[in-house]
Amino acid sequence: MTTSLPHSGDAGGHRPVMLREVTDVLNPRDGGIYVDATFGAGGYSRALLDAARCTVWGIDRDPDAIAAGRALADRYAGRLHLVAGRFGEMMTLLSGHGVDATDGIALDIGVSSMQIDRAERGFSFRQDGPLDMRMEKNGPSAADAVATLDERALADIIHTYGEERRARAIARAIVAARRTAPITRTLQLAEIVRRAVGGRAGDGIDPATRTFQALRIYVNDELGELDRGLVGAERLLRSGGRVAVVTFHSLEDRRVKTFLRRRSGLSPRQSRHLPERPAGTGDPAPSFRLLPANGTTPAAEEIRANPRARSARLRAAERTAHPAWPENTGMEARA
Ligand SMILES: C[S@@+](CC[C@H](N)C(=O)[O-])C[C@H]1O[C@@H](n2cnc3c(N)ncnc32)[C@H](O)[C@@H]1O
């Protein structure tokens, strides 16, 4: 079924990215069970619920998102169920509600506009707030990381999760600054990073962007969650069920791409100039089949209307009838 676009506007302050493409991939049907594993402001959930008489389980680790979603759950009473928790634990979370198999799972990775725009959540380098960044509002914060990690660990995090070339200089500046005063505010950290990077950013983005991204990914273990979420989706989807994953930077996209390609029987491509190699010998039978939408990016019109969509990429695959692979198979191929 091709779906119409029921809601193209903001969902409670967050504009859903690639909404039509995600809904088309999941292709909801009456009686189907779907998981919106990153509920946020519920943009995907609403689109699925409006497209068919289906049931949606919305998961979010942010208690504010779950609280704000109550009104939507009331509006779709009995069809939209909200669960507070991490999608990396989706099997356990859903089986606690008697759900062991689903027809579609959507993952929209990263932070929501509500999180970024609220200075008190500490995600933004543009507005002053506590240096927090915890989606779940508990556990160690970004301020704790910046206060306790040694220079080398900070540099590794900023380099790996931020893909920041000046990571060592930034880590050195952080360690020097915290000797004078604790780093507790977002603008304080942003200033330290901007000074350390100097005029070298060069690509038009704020020099603090990559460091903030890196700390956010570290504080929330976002890549670990992504890996566990993909494995959970493989186990929860019934044969013919579909997964749609939207990511916003290459670090995440590479992981999703590698996971789905490998489980679809394709080895990671060594070079784009070489022909594709056949699947690794000894791999189990493919648990997924890539869909035509796999690898697509937003239409120019969406990027014009919502600049946040510009770096988005959709990965999409359909579950085969073969069993899920042993948990760690194929993970080693990740960048
Ligand atoms: C980009 S927003 C999703 C927006 C949503 N698609 C919409 O249309 O409103 C990402 C959401 O996923 C949540 N999130 C991020 N990582 C998560 C995880 N590991 N488990 C559960 N929720 C997570 C965030 O708290 C945030 O609310």
Side-chain angles (χ1 to χ4, degrees), residues 11-17 19 36-45 59-63 65-66 83-89 93 106-115 121 123 135-136 220-222 224-226 228 246 248 308:
H14 181 95
R15 204 184 263 256
V17 172
L19 178 64
D36 182 357
T38 48
F39 178 76
Y44 292 175
S45 291
I59 299 176
D60 206 293
R61 72 194 291 184
D62 186 338
I66 296 293
V83 184
R86 301 180 186 181
F87 60 64
E89 291 162 7
L93 289 175
L107 288 143
D108 182 11
I109 303 303
V111 274
S112 68
S113 306
M114 292 87 67
Q115 290 166 331
R121 299 299 305 267
F123 288 101
M135 292 184 187
E136 248 158 54
N220 296 290
D221 184 21
E222 290 182 39
E225 272 299 298
L226 183 54
R228 291 185 288 275
V246 175
F248 290 86
R308 190 178 161 270

Side-chain angles (χ1 to χ4, degrees), residues 51 75 87 100 105 150 152 219 234 240 252 285 304 330:
R75 195 179 328 150
F87 60 64
D100 296 309
I105 298 177
D150 65 30
R152 193 187 172 129
V219 164
E234 184 189 23
E252 300 161 341
R304 259 196 307 279

